[in-house]
Amino acid sequence: MKVRDIMVETPRYCRPDANLITAAETMSVGNCSLLPVVDQEGKVVGIITDRDICMTLAGKNQKPSDLRVRDAMSGRVRRLPVVGRDGSSVGMISLGDVSV
């Protein structure tokens, strides 16, 4: 089995300079809890989860519209973006998609 056989194709994404409200709204519309963070060339530079947003908001005394995705990105996840050879976002895979 290959990753491309089980991944979610064309996931929603956000940019590092987007604010946390935009990221949360994108997650809500897409019914997802994780977004790949991509740069201007479409290369994946990180991920942000709904938990990252909550924890960042809890730890800062700022409005969500003033905080950027780059301030909240993290690494511990149950889902991962799938990137092509050129680094572009091509899909998403979760722990539930694979069995050991």
Side-chain angles (χ1 to χ4, degrees):
M1 180 180 315
K2 299 203 182 253
V3 169
R4 73 173 154 252
D5 297 330
I6 57 174
M7 71 180 184
V8 173
E9 292 187 42
T10 61
R12 295 179 183 276
Y13 62 88
C14 63
R15 304 258 187 234
D17 58 344
N19 66 43
L20 295 188
I21 290 175
T22 300
E25 288 172 345
T26 302
M27 287 180 192
S28 178
V29 168
N31 192 30
C32 59
S33 59
L34 174 141
L35 295 172
V37 180
V38 300
D39 64 14
Q40 296 295 349
E41 291 79 41
K43 307 280 191 236
V44 176
V45 296
I47 55 167
I48 187 166
T49 67
D50 51 0
R51 185 175 190 281
D52 294 332
I53 292 172
C54 291
M55 297 306 290
T56 300
L57 291 174
K60 308 246 186 206
N61 189 21
Q62 295 178 326
K63 297 184 296 186
S65 58
D66 293 338
L67 292 166
R68 302 291 162 217
V69 167
R70 70 175 150 268
D71 300 323
M73 295 175 4
S74 77
R76 291 188 203 169
V77 296
R78 299 180 51 84
R79 293 161 201 84
L80 293 172
V82 179
V83 297
R85 293 185 193 278
D86 64 354
S88 62
S89 177
V90 297
M92 190 71 69
I93 190 168
S94 74
L95 286 177
D97 295 330
V98 294
S99 59
V100 245

